[in-house]
Amino acid sequence: MPPVVGERKDPTPAAGVALIAVTAAPIIPLDILCASGTSYFGAPALPYVPGVQGVGVVTEASTVPVGSRVWFPTTAGMKPGDGSMAELALASEEDLVVLPDAVDDALVAALGLSAVAGWMALTWRARMRPDEQVLVLGAGGVVGQVAVQAAKRLGARRVVAACRSEGAQRRARACGADAVVRLYDGEDQPALTARLAEACDGPVDVVIDPLFGVPASAAAQLLGNRGRLVNLGGSAGETAVFGSAYLRSHTASILGYTNNDITVAERRQALLDVLAHAVETGLTVGHDVMPLDDVGAAWAAQAEGTAAQRIVLRIGRRV
């Protein structure tokens, strides 16, 4: 059931917690998962305001100057308490990321935790090096868009994108992918491997994989010597098949990634690194801005998979 707009008592910050006037909040898959009660966090305590991240201006804090423009995370839906889809929100002062002025609120909100995942999966987990070939699965999503752009900016010799819809393919091309391969429902691993191989220039060094399932199985067959596949999602399936002989003969690695396994400092630096590229090189992701009053329709579009791209709710005046 989508959330509805209503009145809520203004939150009161405790020690070490900032009060933030929210300007923008994205609707992301984690919001839907938490609200559904099907995540490993269990059913949330109702009623609550959803929103696991947002952008706003600090109005009360002890360690961060009032008036600071910040990105912030919340635990809405994971622990009791309200999230970012409100005019006022609370967040730990330790978690706040003070933002550069040159990036607008809606883009920061659209990037957020997904950008952190795309950046860290490529730089920290895969340890991508210049002149390597990178294959990005699910390249039309925010994680994938960031991974494509980051790989190009970090010196990849070739970046191949794989995604489903025409819109996703357009976004991948706009991000600078050297080749784009369309993914089809029901295609088997050998056929997809063959089509991916045609787009790649020899063995693949790094695969960024938010999909798993058949796409991961297909991409793994293209890993070169000491190639690395980093998985950070399972939207195409919870299982994938990897041949032991192939992995051993190529000394290839299948690696997992989650934002939950990085420190607050690492998360902050990753977001700032991405935002620096947004300022200096134009890194961006596709997103639509909608007013908070339309949260029901926006939520339904995300939940039903009909949203064309990331939806950001406009809550304050800066967006």
Side-chain angles (χ1 to χ4, degrees):
M1 181 176 178
V4 296
V5 176
E7 294 296 322
R8 189 81 161 160
K9 183 180 178 180
D10 288 350
T12 302
V17 176
L19 181 65
I20 299 164
V22 183
T23 58
I27 302 177
I28 68 171
L30 181 57
D31 292 313
I32 308 297
L33 183 64
C34 289
S36 72
T38 58
S39 76
Y40 55 75
F41 299 108
L46 300 175
Y48 82 103
V49 176
V52 299
Q53 58 184 319
V55 177
V57 177
V58 174
T59 62
E60 288 186 43
S62 57
T63 61
V64 179
V66 170
S68 297
R69 183 168 156 262
V70 296
W71 173 89
F72 64 95
T74 83
T75 57
M78 295 172 268
K79 296 179 180 179
D82 291 336
S84 60
M85 298 180 194
E87 293 179 345
L88 293 173
L90 300 176
S92 167
E93 295 179 22
E94 179 187 16
D95 288 337
L96 303 184
V97 179
V98 179
L99 301 172
D101 291 334
V103 186
D104 70 80
D105 292 16
L107 177 56
V108 176
L111 288 165
L113 292 170
S114 295
V116 169
W119 179 266
M120 291 295 280
L122 185 70
T123 60
W124 172 65
R125 202 71 177 104
R127 301 199 181 279
M128 191 211 104
R129 298 181 291 271
D131 297 323
E132 290 192 315
Q133 179 168 222
V134 178
L135 170 59
V136 180
L137 305 178
V142 175
V143 171
Q145 291 176 70
V146 170
V148 169
Q149 293 172 86
K152 296 291 288 186
R153 285 155 175 77
L154 294 170
R157 67 176 177 86
R158 184 171 179 82
V159 179
V160 177
C163 40
R164 291 184 179 179
S165 70
E166 292 183 3
Q169 293 173 68
R170 286 194 297 270
R171 290 192 292 275
R173 291 189 180 94
C175 288
D178 296 293
V180 178
V181 178
R182 184 165 187 177
L183 300 176
Y184 297 98
D185 290 334
E187 186 172 22
D188 63 20
Q189 175 263 305
L192 179 54
T193 295
R195 291 197 303 112
L196 291 173
E198 289 179 1
C200 295
D201 179 24
V204 172
D205 299 292
V206 173
V207 176
I208 299 300
D209 167 40
L211 305 180
F212 218 51
V214 170
S217 299
Q221 293 297 309
L222 302 177
L223 289 172
N225 189 46
R226 298 189 181 181
R228 294 87 70 201
L229 183 150
V230 181
N231 173 258
L232 59 166
S235 60
E238 280 299 309
T239 60
V241 177
F242 307 111
S244 172
Y246 188 89
L247 293 178
R248 288 183 289 112
S249 63
H250 291 76
T251 321
S253 301
I254 307 298
L255 306 169
Y257 174 83
T258 171
N259 280 343
N260 294 332
D261 196 39
I262 60 175
T263 67
V264 170
E266 288 170 333
R267 181 179 63 196
R268 177 183 295 109
Q269 189 58 56
L271 183 57
L272 290 174
D273 286 343
V274 171
L275 295 179
H277 279 287
V279 173
E280 297 164 10
T281 68
L283 184 150
T284 190
V285 294
H287 59 281
D288 294 315
V289 180
M290 299 177 67
L292 180 61
D293 286 344
D294 290 344
V295 64
W299 185 278
Q302 176 65 58
E304 296 164 7
T306 59
Q309 51 192 3
R310 176 58 46 87
I311 298 175
V312 175
L313 297 175
R314 181 179 65 247
I315 300 174
R317 288 178 287 179
R318 283 185 56 111
V319 177

